[in-house]
Amino acid sequence: LGVNGTSLSYNGRSVFLSGGNLAWVNYGNDFGNNQSHTHWCQLQQHLQNVSAAGGNSMRVWLFVEGQTIPVFSDAGLVVATDGAGSLVPELRRFLQAAASLNVFIVLCLWNGALMREEVVKGMIHDLAKLQSFIDKALVPLVEGLKDIPALAAYEIVNEPEGSVDPHTIDKTTRCFDTATALGGTGAGWSGAGIKMQEMLRFINLQAAAIKGHDPKVLVTVGSWSEHASTDVISLDPSKQFFNYYKDECLVAAGGQDRGTLDVVQIHTYARPEFSSGSPFGVSVTSASVYNLSKPIVIGEFSAGSTQGRWTVQDLYATAVSYTHLTLPTKRIV
């Protein structure tokens, strides 16, 4: 899968991602440590379900909160992908099965919506610990999967806004200030209190490592809301917006020029109406409204959250008409 301006393409043809979020069968424990044949059959069935429904993509979570994989030492350093050394072979098998069904996979590494494991927080705070993950788990993973075309993208972290401190005031570097754009929005709900600068560094260094070993694969982040994904304040004059994941912010945090994103990913839920700045909101009439130079993927949405106001068919029709908005559905059923 590649990028052509603000579109996605494969073998020269435009691609509209249509599929689902797995996002897991067993939370944080779907790959590695010699998974059973029964578990493999479950994963395979989900791929077949997407394909049979006409889908072409699936979003799958991997390390999640670090409770099972990778392997950490007592000092909080990563020493292996998993205890059995089976992570990469299992993922290769899964991706090859996806390829046989013409299904692209977005592989989400970490979960920022919940961050309960101290070893993961340690990697965000401590560069040596993060580098141990890159060296012992991420690079072997990327090297082991880079020849399989079904791997559409690595998503560094799901909803990092859930674990950032939304009260940081930084008058010198807007990229690291969260109080202005995220204060009072609900961001920071996990209580992890990670500084945005550290979170952006976490993303930048992993993205750079991935691209250093597989320059063709795409990289994204699953942002919880348009509030953290665009600078277009006119979407809702009563609220603030700031694109924390723009190239300049990621490079400012981690110093790696190639550690940037290829695809913007936004999540959106209705309560029961979509917010005006949502991809399905009244202020958005096309993807170009966000003034972004990269493709946009709606990584999570739910027709159920609209309480009958929208159907899945309505949401897909809207996304197709709003040029370059591409999306998988919220959940495979």
Side-chain angles (χ1 to χ4, degrees), residues 174-204:
R174 181 68 181 81
C175 294
F176 307 149
D177 180 293
T178 55
T180 304
L182 299 184
T185 64
W189 63 85
S190 81
I194 304 295
K195 295 299 182 184
M196 180 61 82
Q197 182 174 3
E198 291 186 321
M199 183 64 79
L200 294 177
R201 181 180 67 185
F202 181 70
I203 295 166
N204 174 255

Side-chain angles (χ1 to χ4, degrees), residues 23 43 51 75 81 124 134 137 157 159 208 217 230 246 253 277 297 316 333:
L43 292 170
S51 179
T81 56
I124 297 176
I134 291 171
V157 56
E159 301 190 356
V217 75
T230 179
K246 65 182 77 172
V297 170
Y316 267 93
V333 293

Side-chain angles (χ1 to χ4, degrees), residues 262-294:
D262 303 292
V263 176
V264 175
Q265 183 185 154
I266 299 173
H267 299 173
T268 187
Y269 293 91
R271 292 177 173 79
E273 297 286 353
F274 288 105
S275 64
S276 62
S278 158
F280 301 115
V282 296
S283 294
V284 178
T285 54
S286 74
S288 62
V289 168
Y290 289 115
N291 195 28
L292 296 167
S293 60
K294 302 178 181 184

